[in-house]
Amino acid sequence: MRITTEQNDIARVLFSEEQIARRVKELGAQLMEQYAGKEPLMVCILKGASFFYTDLCRAMHCNVFMDFIAISSYGAGSKSTGVVRISKDLDTNITGRHVVIVEDIIDSGLTLQYLTELLSSRKPASIQTACLLDKRERRGGAAHTGITGFVIPDEFVVGYGLDYAGYYRNLPYIGVLKAEVYTD
Ligand code: PRP
């Protein structure tokens, strides 16, 4: 296995820094309109969503509240099982609040499903999800129903928060990782 943080490991750029910035501003404007006067609580799912989350919050020129939740999947596999452990819970009581769960990527959809159910049980006034990347091919084409940045093909993507073995999160763009990096 060869891991470097060099751009050589990227097969192609899917979305440039500029394309991401433009789309995130659009999503921020969309949310701002939807939540006018509601002071939404923006929930970041660590760690992958971190860059998207902070840029999205900054694109909302209205009162927003920020909180963070950290989860880890059970099991050793790289694929999501949907069974997650909360390793850092929210500090905020979300009962009666308008909650927006912010995620970097929806793949099988199990993580978001689990978190939406968990947070819904705390009786927020409303809840929806904002997701930058929707790999809907992996769910038989079923579209993410919340706020969506880009629909992407079923490829291994890294950058702008997305990692492989902890690497590449800080790339300013989103790219497809060369297969030779993650296969022996
Ligand atoms: C990734 C991503 C989502 C989840 C999506 O998290 O950030 O939370 O997988 O997969 P799913 O739709 O199949 O459930 P990961 O476990 O890699 O943690 P990270 O955010 O810390 O990178």
Side-chain angles (χ1 to χ4, degrees):
M1 186 192 293
R2 181 180 65 94
I3 299 177
T4 74
T5 51
E6 292 168 19
Q7 303 199 347
N8 289 345
D9 294 348
I10 305 301
R12 68 180 200 282
V13 173
L14 262 192
F15 303 108
S16 68
E17 195 172 350
E18 293 72 27
Q19 284 173 307
I20 296 168
R22 208 175 311 127
R23 186 66 185 131
V24 173
K25 284 203 175 92
E26 287 171 3
L27 300 181
Q30 209 176 317
L31 282 167
M32 212 161 69
E33 204 180 301
Q34 259 185 38
Y35 289 89
K38 290 188 172 161
E39 303 193 334
L41 175 69
M42 308 292 289
V43 171
C44 177
I45 306 178
L46 296 169
K47 313 182 179 78
S50 51
F51 294 108
F52 174 47
Y53 176 79
T54 51
D55 286 343
L56 186 64
C57 289
R58 276 181 290 193
M60 295 172 71
H61 308 292
C62 60
N63 291 338
V64 301
F65 289 80
M66 299 171 72
D67 205 344
F68 301 81
I69 192 165
I71 57 174
S72 50
S73 297
Y74 282 114
S78 60
K79 293 274 182 290
S80 173
T81 58
V83 183
V84 302
R85 185 176 63 84
I86 306 289
S87 48
K88 185 231 166 281
D89 205 340
L90 298 173
D91 296 324
T92 316
N93 175 2
I94 65 167
T95 304
R97 304 293 302 269
H98 294 281
V99 171
V100 181
I101 304 177
V102 182
E103 184 57 298
D104 53 345
I105 186 166
I106 175 167
D107 187 342
S108 69
L110 293 171
T111 304
L112 260 190
Q113 189 186 332
Y114 175 86
L115 277 175
T116 304
E117 281 168 17
L118 175 82
L119 298 186
S120 294
S121 72
R122 299 179 185 178
K123 307 273 182 279
S126 69
I127 190 161
Q128 82 158 329
T129 53
C131 191
L132 182 63
L133 305 175
D134 180 1
K135 209 188 254 190
R136 61 181 57 161
E137 252 178 62
R138 294 258 302 124
R139 305 186 309 283
H144 170 237
T145 51
I147 300 275
T148 308
F150 304 103
V151 176
I152 59 162
D154 186 8
E155 291 182 284
F156 202 132
V157 292
V158 293
Y160 195 63
L162 293 127
D163 75 311
Y164 169 61
Y167 291 88
Y168 310 106
R169 286 197 202 275
N170 60 328
L171 291 178
Y173 56 85
I174 294 169
V176 175
L177 193 60
K178 284 182 182 168
E180 71 208 51
V181 178
Y182 56 89
T183 48
D184 291 326

PDB file of all heavy atoms in Angstrom, residues 45-49 71 73 80 103-112 161 163 169, ligand 1:
ATOM      1  N   ILE A  45     -21.556  16.406  11.645  1.00  0.00           N
ATOM      2  CA  ILE A  45     -21.129  15.033  11.936  1.00  0.00           C
ATOM      3  C   ILE A  45     -19.625  14.949  11.669  1.00  0.00           C
ATOM      4  O   ILE A  45     -19.186  15.059  10.523  1.00  0.00           O
ATOM      5  CB  ILE A  45     -21.891  14.010  11.073  1.00  0.00           C
ATOM      6  CG1 ILE A  45     -23.398  14.211  11.231  1.00  0.00           C
ATOM      7  CG2 ILE A  45     -21.486  12.592  11.465  1.00  0.00           C
ATOM      8  CD1 ILE A  45     -24.221  13.283  10.391  1.00  0.00           C
ATOM      9  N   LEU A  46     -18.888  14.793  12.752  1.00  0.00           N
ATOM     10  CA  LEU A  46     -17.427  14.734  12.623  1.00  0.00           C
ATOM     11  C   LEU A  46     -17.002  13.378  12.070  1.00  0.00           C
ATOM     12  O   LEU A  46     -17.684  12.385  12.310  1.00  0.00           O
ATOM     13  CB  LEU A  46     -16.801  14.947  14.004  1.00  0.00           C
ATOM     14  CG  LEU A  46     -17.069  16.347  14.612  1.00  0.00           C
ATOM     15  CD1 LEU A  46     -16.655  16.378  16.078  1.00  0.00           C
ATOM     16  CD2 LEU A  46     -16.337  17.413  13.821  1.00  0.00           C
ATOM     17  N   LYS A  47     -15.867  13.270  11.357  1.00  0.00           N
ATOM     18  CA  LYS A  47     -15.049  14.422  11.035  1.00  0.00           C
ATOM     19  C   LYS A  47     -15.261  14.894   9.602  1.00  0.00           C
ATOM     20  O   LYS A  47     -14.963  16.021   9.255  1.00  0.00           O
ATOM     21  CB  LYS A  47     -13.539  14.070  11.170  1.00  0.00           C
ATOM     22  CG  LYS A  47     -13.163  13.347  12.421  1.00  0.00           C
ATOM     23  CD  LYS A  47     -11.630  13.109  12.434  1.00  0.00           C
ATOM     24  CE  LYS A  47     -11.179  12.407  13.661  1.00  0.00           C
ATOM     25  NZ  LYS A  47     -11.459  10.940  13.629  1.00  0.00           N
ATOM     26  N   GLY A  48     -15.737  13.997   8.759  1.00  0.00           N
ATOM     27  CA  GLY A  48     -15.759  14.276   7.315  1.00  0.00           C
ATOM     28  C   GLY A  48     -16.467  15.563   6.917  1.00  0.00           C
ATOM     29  O   GLY A  48     -16.081  16.224   5.958  1.00  0.00           O
ATOM     30  N   ALA A  49     -17.510  15.930   7.667  1.00  0.00           N
ATOM     31  CA  ALA A  49     -18.324  17.082   7.264  1.00  0.00           C
ATOM     32  C   ALA A  49     -17.724  18.420   7.684  1.00  0.00           C
ATOM     33  O   ALA A  49     -18.279  19.473   7.359  1.00  0.00           O
ATOM     34  CB  ALA A  49     -19.730  16.955   7.860  1.00  0.00           C
ATOM     35  N   ILE A  71     -19.299  10.205  15.809  1.00  0.00           N
ATOM     36  CA  ILE A  71     -19.779   8.829  15.841  1.00  0.00           C
ATOM     37  C   ILE A  71     -18.691   7.898  15.327  1.00  0.00           C
ATOM     38  O   ILE A  71     -17.810   8.312  14.580  1.00  0.00           O
ATOM     39  CB  ILE A  71     -21.045   8.642  14.975  1.00  0.00           C
ATOM     40  CG1 ILE A  71     -20.780   9.073  13.530  1.00  0.00           C
ATOM     41  CG2 ILE A  71     -22.213   9.411  15.539  1.00  0.00           C
ATOM     42  CD1 ILE A  71     -21.919   8.781  12.592  1.00  0.00           C
ATOM     43  N   SER A  73     -18.406   3.814  13.695  1.00  0.00           N
ATOM     44  CA  SER A  73     -19.151   2.616  13.320  1.00  0.00           C
ATOM     45  C   SER A  73     -18.643   1.426  14.104  1.00  0.00           C
ATOM     46  O   SER A  73     -17.458   1.336  14.411  1.00  0.00           O
ATOM     47  CB  SER A  73     -18.970   2.324  11.828  1.00  0.00           C
ATOM     48  OG  SER A  73     -19.495   3.377  11.087  1.00  0.00           O
ATOM     49  N   SER A  80     -20.113   1.013   5.854  1.00  0.00           N
ATOM     50  CA  SER A  80     -20.997   1.389   6.945  1.00  0.00           C
ATOM     51  C   SER A  80     -21.978   0.258   7.248  1.00  0.00           C
ATOM     52  O   SER A  80     -22.461  -0.416   6.353  1.00  0.00           O
ATOM     53  CB  SER A  80     -21.750   2.639   6.503  1.00  0.00           C
ATOM     54  OG  SER A  80     -22.729   2.957   7.422  1.00  0.00           O
ATOM     55  N   GLU A 103     -23.803  16.639   6.636  1.00  0.00           N
ATOM     56  CA  GLU A 103     -22.991  15.457   6.359  1.00  0.00           C
ATOM     57  C   GLU A 103     -22.192  15.688   5.076  1.00  0.00           C
ATOM     58  O   GLU A 103     -22.622  16.430   4.190  1.00  0.00           O
ATOM     59  CB  GLU A 103     -23.958  14.255   6.245  1.00  0.00           C
ATOM     60  CG  GLU A 103     -23.343  12.910   6.064  1.00  0.00           C
ATOM     61  CD  GLU A 103     -22.362  12.479   7.135  1.00  0.00           C
ATOM     62  OE1 GLU A 103     -21.332  13.151   7.283  1.00  0.00           O
ATOM     63  OE2 GLU A 103     -22.585  11.435   7.766  1.00  0.00           O
ATOM     64  N   ASP A 104     -21.032  15.055   4.988  1.00  0.00           N
ATOM     65  CA  ASP A 104     -20.226  15.227   3.771  1.00  0.00           C
ATOM     66  C   ASP A 104     -20.710  14.328   2.643  1.00  0.00           C
ATOM     67  O   ASP A 104     -20.813  14.767   1.497  1.00  0.00           O
ATOM     68  CB  ASP A 104     -18.727  14.977   4.053  1.00  0.00           C
ATOM     69  CG  ASP A 104     -18.472  13.633   4.734  1.00  0.00           C
ATOM     70  OD1 ASP A 104     -19.437  13.023   5.249  1.00  0.00           O
ATOM     71  OD2 ASP A 104     -17.315  13.182   4.750  1.00  0.00           O
ATOM     72  N   ILE A 105     -20.997  13.070   2.972  1.00  0.00           N
ATOM     73  CA  ILE A 105     -21.354  12.135   1.901  1.00  0.00           C
ATOM     74  C   ILE A 105     -22.412  11.156   2.378  1.00  0.00           C
ATOM     75  O   ILE A 105     -22.384  10.715   3.528  1.00  0.00           O
ATOM     76  CB  ILE A 105     -20.091  11.393   1.372  1.00  0.00           C
ATOM     77  CG1 ILE A 105     -20.429  10.515   0.157  1.00  0.00           C
ATOM     78  CG2 ILE A 105     -19.433  10.566   2.452  1.00  0.00           C
ATOM     79  CD1 ILE A 105     -19.196  10.042  -0.613  1.00  0.00           C
ATOM     80  N   ILE A 106     -23.332  10.853   1.511  1.00  0.00           N
ATOM     81  CA  ILE A 106     -24.306   9.795   1.790  1.00  0.00           C
ATOM     82  C   ILE A 106     -24.042   8.671   0.800  1.00  0.00           C
ATOM     83  O   ILE A 106     -24.089   8.856  -0.413  1.00  0.00           O
ATOM     84  CB  ILE A 106     -25.756  10.325   1.782  1.00  0.00           C
ATOM     85  CG1 ILE A 106     -26.759   9.202   1.950  1.00  0.00           C
ATOM     86  CG2 ILE A 106     -26.082  11.143   0.560  1.00  0.00           C
ATOM     87  CD1 ILE A 106     -28.164   9.685   2.258  1.00  0.00           C
ATOM     88  N   ASP A 107     -23.677   7.536   1.381  1.00  0.00           N
ATOM     89  CA  ASP A 107     -23.274   6.381   0.582  1.00  0.00           C
ATOM     90  C   ASP A 107     -24.398   5.331   0.700  1.00  0.00           C
ATOM     91  O   ASP A 107     -25.378   5.390  -0.037  1.00  0.00           O
ATOM     92  CB  ASP A 107     -21.933   5.898   1.145  1.00  0.00           C
ATOM     93  CG  ASP A 107     -21.279   4.807   0.320  1.00  0.00           C
ATOM     94  OD1 ASP A 107     -21.970   4.176  -0.475  1.00  0.00           O
ATOM     95  OD2 ASP A 107     -20.072   4.571   0.483  1.00  0.00           O
ATOM     96  N   SER A 108     -24.297   4.406   1.663  1.00  0.00           N
ATOM     97  CA  SER A 108     -25.411   3.461   1.874  1.00  0.00           C
ATOM     98  C   SER A 108     -26.625   4.201   2.448  1.00  0.00           C
ATOM     99  O   SER A 108     -27.761   3.750   2.325  1.00  0.00           O
ATOM    100  CB  SER A 108     -24.994   2.350   2.839  1.00  0.00           C
ATOM    101  OG  SER A 108     -24.817   2.875   4.139  1.00  0.00           O
ATOM    102  N   GLY A 109     -26.367   5.318   3.112  1.00  0.00           N
ATOM    103  CA  GLY A 109     -27.450   6.093   3.733  1.00  0.00           C
ATOM    104  C   GLY A 109     -27.729   5.675   5.169  1.00  0.00           C
ATOM    105  O   GLY A 109     -28.544   6.281   5.857  1.00  0.00           O
ATOM    106  N   LEU A 110     -27.021   4.651   5.641  1.00  0.00           N
ATOM    107  CA  LEU A 110     -27.325   4.098   6.960  1.00  0.00           C
ATOM    108  C   LEU A 110     -26.948   5.038   8.108  1.00  0.00           C
ATOM    109  O   LEU A 110     -27.663   5.147   9.096  1.00  0.00           O
ATOM    110  CB  LEU A 110     -26.622   2.741   7.134  1.00  0.00           C
ATOM    111  CG  LEU A 110     -27.147   1.637   6.204  1.00  0.00           C
ATOM    112  CD1 LEU A 110     -26.266   0.401   6.267  1.00  0.00           C
ATOM    113  CD2 LEU A 110     -28.584   1.282   6.576  1.00  0.00           C
ATOM    114  N   THR A 111     -25.830   5.747   7.949  1.00  0.00           N
ATOM    115  CA  THR A 111     -25.399   6.655   9.015  1.00  0.00           C
ATOM    116  C   THR A 111     -26.426   7.772   9.210  1.00  0.00           C
ATOM    117  O   THR A 111     -26.849   8.057  10.330  1.00  0.00           O
ATOM    118  CB  THR A 111     -24.016   7.272   8.672  1.00  0.00           C
ATOM    119  OG1 THR A 111     -23.094   6.209   8.453  1.00  0.00           O
ATOM    120  CG2 THR A 111     -23.516   8.175   9.775  1.00  0.00           C
ATOM    121  N   LEU A 112     -26.818   8.389   8.104  1.00  0.00           N
ATOM    122  CA  LEU A 112     -27.790   9.486   8.207  1.00  0.00           C
ATOM    123  C   LEU A 112     -29.135   9.002   8.712  1.00  0.00           C
ATOM    124  O   LEU A 112     -29.803   9.687   9.481  1.00  0.00           O
ATOM    125  CB  LEU A 112     -27.986  10.140   6.839  1.00  0.00           C
ATOM    126  CG  LEU A 112     -27.227  11.436   6.585  1.00  0.00           C
ATOM    127  CD1 LEU A 112     -27.700  12.101   5.314  1.00  0.00           C
ATOM    128  CD2 LEU A 112     -27.358  12.401   7.768  1.00  0.00           C
ATOM    129  N   GLY A 161     -12.448  17.255   3.386  1.00  0.00           N
ATOM    130  CA  GLY A 161     -12.994  16.574   4.563  1.00  0.00           C
ATOM    131  C   GLY A 161     -13.043  15.065   4.425  1.00  0.00           C
ATOM    132  O   GLY A 161     -12.997  14.342   5.420  1.00  0.00           O
ATOM    133  N   ASP A 163     -11.726  11.337   3.667  1.00  0.00           N
ATOM    134  CA  ASP A 163     -10.406  10.737   3.845  1.00  0.00           C
ATOM    135  C   ASP A 163     -10.294   9.335   3.286  1.00  0.00           C
ATOM    136  O   ASP A 163     -11.289   8.675   2.986  1.00  0.00           O
ATOM    137  CB  ASP A 163     -10.079  10.665   5.343  1.00  0.00           C
ATOM    138  CG  ASP A 163     -10.867   9.546   6.048  1.00  0.00           C
ATOM    139  OD1 ASP A 163     -12.094   9.476   5.864  1.00  0.00           O
ATOM    140  OD2 ASP A 163     -10.241   8.724   6.750  1.00  0.00           O
ATOM    141  N   ARG A 169      -7.818  14.534   3.803  1.00  0.00           N
ATOM    142  CA  ARG A 169      -8.949  15.376   4.210  1.00  0.00           C
ATOM    143  C   ARG A 169      -8.709  16.842   3.863  1.00  0.00           C
ATOM    144  O   ARG A 169      -9.641  17.573   3.553  1.00  0.00           O
ATOM    145  CB  ARG A 169      -9.169  15.294   5.727  1.00  0.00           C
ATOM    146  CG  ARG A 169      -9.791  14.010   6.217  1.00  0.00           C
ATOM    147  CD  ARG A 169     -10.329  14.215   7.641  1.00  0.00           C
ATOM    148  NE  ARG A 169     -10.484  12.986   8.388  1.00  0.00           N
ATOM    149  CZ  ARG A 169     -11.543  12.189   8.346  1.00  0.00           C
ATOM    150  NH1 ARG A 169     -12.554  12.478   7.567  1.00  0.00           N
ATOM    151  NH2 ARG A 169     -11.595  11.087   9.073  1.00  0.00           N
TER     152      ARG A 169
HETATM  153  C1  PRP B   1     -18.391   8.533   6.288  1.00  0.00           C
HETATM  154  C2  PRP B   1     -19.188   9.794   5.994  1.00  0.00           C
HETATM  155  C3  PRP B   1     -20.570   9.460   6.499  1.00  0.00           C
HETATM  156  C4  PRP B   1     -20.678   7.971   6.239  1.00  0.00           C
HETATM  157  C5  PRP B   1     -21.480   7.727   5.001  1.00  0.00           C
HETATM  158  O1  PRP B   1     -17.979   8.600   7.617  1.00  0.00           O
HETATM  159  O2  PRP B   1     -18.640  10.931   6.632  1.00  0.00           O
HETATM  160  O3  PRP B   1     -20.702   9.733   7.872  1.00  0.00           O
HETATM  161  O4  PRP B   1     -19.343   7.472   6.075  1.00  0.00           O
HETATM  162  O5  PRP B   1     -21.645   6.363   4.758  1.00  0.00           O
HETATM  163  P1  PRP B   1     -23.061   5.637   4.747  1.00  0.00           P
HETATM  164  O6  PRP B   1     -24.040   6.506   3.997  1.00  0.00           O
HETATM  165  O7  PRP B   1     -22.743   4.345   4.017  1.00  0.00           O
HETATM  166  O8  PRP B   1     -23.494   5.374   6.161  1.00  0.00           O
HETATM  167  P2  PRP B   1     -16.735   7.804   8.205  1.00  0.00           P
HETATM  168  O9  PRP B   1     -17.255   6.647   9.001  1.00  0.00           O
HETATM  169  O10 PRP B   1     -15.748   7.530   7.126  1.00  0.00           O
HETATM  170  O11 PRP B   1     -16.144   8.851   9.266  1.00  0.00           O
HETATM  171  P3  PRP B   1     -15.503  10.309   9.041  1.00  0.00           P
HETATM  172  O12 PRP B   1     -16.646  11.264   8.758  1.00  0.00           O
HETATM  173  O13 PRP B   1     -14.856  10.608  10.350  1.00  0.00           O
HETATM  174  O14 PRP B   1     -14.538  10.229   7.893  1.00  0.00           O
END
